[in-house]
């Protein structure tokens, strides 16, 4: 991925190191693993309103950036 | 922005993993001292007798605290002020976790360990709302030993 938002590294039970880029859904902050060569639609989508990647669950929903949700949560306290 | 480290060996007694989620570590805003924070690094593993069992690792959002041992976040820069956030480890009674709020979910062999690191601005945010934060937890159908988690976060 050109500009990944995260990096996941794991050591398997056989001692094999596995690495993957990740992105964080801009609507819900779910960490999504980027599978090289996979179609963008398999990993979620791209929100054209906030111009950031989103997870599969948020791909078909409205654009409510997570920082907007934080403001709403904090306003209710 | 000050950065801090947490792990579930800082306080309390590590609890045996079971088939229902056990919170290893939590991090949330403190009542009357609310401040947003961002988790930018976490890693999971087990410290029991090696065997081939599956583990399910999960990071989710919590809206009400359960019963755990208070952990004092360790300052990565000793010159920084103490964290305002509350952190607890090794829960004996689970808090209230928001349904379908999993931010990270992975199934892995008990012998495997995983680490996630965020790019700048890619961290997992929690709001400046009392008792509203993140939990790092695990479950397993067969493994009944203990598990470990390490978390790095910064207060915004």
């Amino acid at each position: 991925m050109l500009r990944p938002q995260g990096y996941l590294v794991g050591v398997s039970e056989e001692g094999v190191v596995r690495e993957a880029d990740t992105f964080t859904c801009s609507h819900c902050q779910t960490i999504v693993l980027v599978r090289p060569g996979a179609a963008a639609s398999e990993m979620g989508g791209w929100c054209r309103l906030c111009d950031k990647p989103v997870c599969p669950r948020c791909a078909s929903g409205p654009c409510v950036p997570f920082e907007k949700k934080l403001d709403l949560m904090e306003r209710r306290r | 922005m000050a950065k801090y480290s947490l792990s579930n060996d800082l306080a309390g007694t590590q609890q045996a993993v079971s088939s229902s989620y056990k919170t290893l570590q939590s991090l949330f805003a403190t009542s009357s001292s609310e401040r947003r924070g961002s988790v930018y690094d976490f890693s999971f593993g087990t410290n029991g007798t090696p065997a081939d069992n599956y583990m399910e690792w999960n990071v989710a959002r919590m809206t009400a605290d359960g019963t755990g041992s208070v952990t004092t976040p360790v300052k990565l820069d000793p010159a920084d002020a103490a964290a305002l956030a509350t952190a607890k480890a090794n829960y004996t009674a689970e808090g209230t976790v928001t349904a379908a709020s999993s931010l990270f979910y992975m199934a892995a062999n008990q012998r495997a360990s995983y680490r996630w690191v965020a790019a700048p601005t890619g961290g997992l945010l929690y709001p400046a709302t009392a008792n509203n934060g993140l939990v790092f937890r695990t479950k397993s159908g067969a493994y009944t030993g203990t598990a470990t988690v390490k978390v790095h976060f910064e207060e915004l």
Side-chain angles (χ1 to χ4, degrees), chain B residues 70-113:
Chain B
V70 174
T71 314
T72 302
V74 180
K75 296 176 265 189
L76 295 190
D77 182 349
D80 281 326
L84 294 176
T86 298
K88 292 187 180 179
N90 304 318
Y91 275 60
T92 53
E94 295 298 299
T96 302
V97 175
T98 307
S101 69
S102 176
L103 303 181
F104 177 84
Y105 174 77
M106 173 155 285
N109 190 290
Q110 174 197 327
R111 298 173 193 253
S113 60

Side-chain angles (χ1 to χ4, degrees), chain A residues 3 17 68:
Chain A
R3 281 186 291 273
V17 176
K68 176 74 175 176

Side-chain angles (χ1 to χ4, degrees), chain B residues 5-15 23-26 47 67-74 86-92 146-149:
Chain B
S5 175
L6 289 171
S7 67
N8 69 326
D9 70 339
L10 294 179
T13 303
Q14 293 176 350
Q15 302 294 303
T23 297
L24 306 173
Q25 184 72 56
S26 70
N47 56 353
T67 305
S69 300
V70 174
T71 314
T72 302
V74 180
T86 298
K88 292 187 180 179
N90 304 318
Y91 275 60
T92 53
T146 52
T148 63
V149 66

Side-chain angles (χ1 to χ4, degrees), chain A:
Chain A
M1 191 173 177
L2 187 59
R3 281 186 291 273
Q5 292 176 308
Y7 169 71
L8 180 73
V9 60
V11 180
S12 74
E13 61 276 15
E14 301 110 0
V16 175
V17 176
R18 295 198 171 97
E19 301 170 296
D21 287 336
T22 69
F23 69 84
T24 308
C25 174
S26 71
H27 293 176
C28 70
Q29 293 226 302
T30 296
I31 296 168
V32 182
L33 267 62
V34 176
R35 292 193 303 279
S41 57
E42 292 177 18
M43 294 181 289
W46 189 271
C47 178
R48 294 175 187 275
L49 292 175
C50 61
D51 200 26
K52 288 179 182 171
V54 292
C55 70
R57 199 166 51 197
C58 294
S60 55
C63 174
V64 185
F66 190 72
E67 294 194 359
K68 176 74 175 176
K69 290 178 182 168
L70 284 177
D71 288 340
L72 293 172
M73 283 187 239
E74 291 165 1
R75 206 175 297 162
R76 281 198 291 264
R77 68 178 166 94

Side-chain angles (χ1 to χ4, degrees), chain B residues 1-5 40 74-77 80 153-155:
Chain B
M1 290 172 287
K3 294 180 170 61
Y4 306 90
S5 175
Y40 63 89
V74 180
K75 296 176 265 189
L76 295 190
D77 182 349
D80 281 326
F153 72 100
E154 59 185 343
E155 292 193 318

Side-chain angles (χ1 to χ4, degrees), chain B residues 6-152:
Chain B
L6 289 171
S7 67
N8 69 326
D9 70 339
L10 294 179
T13 303
Q14 293 176 350
Q15 302 294 303
V17 173
S18 72
S19 56
S20 53
Y21 275 119
K22 287 281 188 185
T23 297
L24 306 173
Q25 184 72 56
S26 70
L27 175 63
F28 53 93
T30 305
S31 180
S32 304
S33 302
E34 294 92 349
R35 190 167 188 172
R36 275 192 201 178
S38 172
V39 170
Y40 63 89
D41 188 338
F42 62 80
S43 61
F44 288 114
T46 59
N47 56 353
T49 302
D52 286 316
N53 296 305
Y54 76 87
M55 307 287 294
E56 294 175 68
W57 305 101
N58 176 259
V59 179
R61 297 203 176 273
M62 177 181 78
T63 54
D65 194 18
T67 305
S69 300
V70 174
T71 314
T72 302
V74 180
K75 296 176 265 189
L76 295 190
D77 182 349
D80 281 326
L84 294 176
T86 298
K88 292 187 180 179
N90 304 318
Y91 275 60
T92 53
E94 295 298 299
T96 302
V97 175
T98 307
S101 69
S102 176
L103 303 181
F104 177 84
Y105 174 77
M106 173 155 285
N109 190 290
Q110 174 197 327
R111 298 173 193 253
S113 60
Y114 280 88
R115 179 185 179 196
W116 175 80
V117 184
T121 74
L124 304 178
L125 299 172
Y126 61 88
T129 304
N131 297 318
N132 199 314
L134 299 168
V135 290
F136 300 82
R137 50 187 198 159
T138 186
K139 65 177 178 178
S140 174
Y143 177 65
T144 56
T146 52
T148 63
V149 66
K150 176 270 291 176
V151 176
H152 281 189

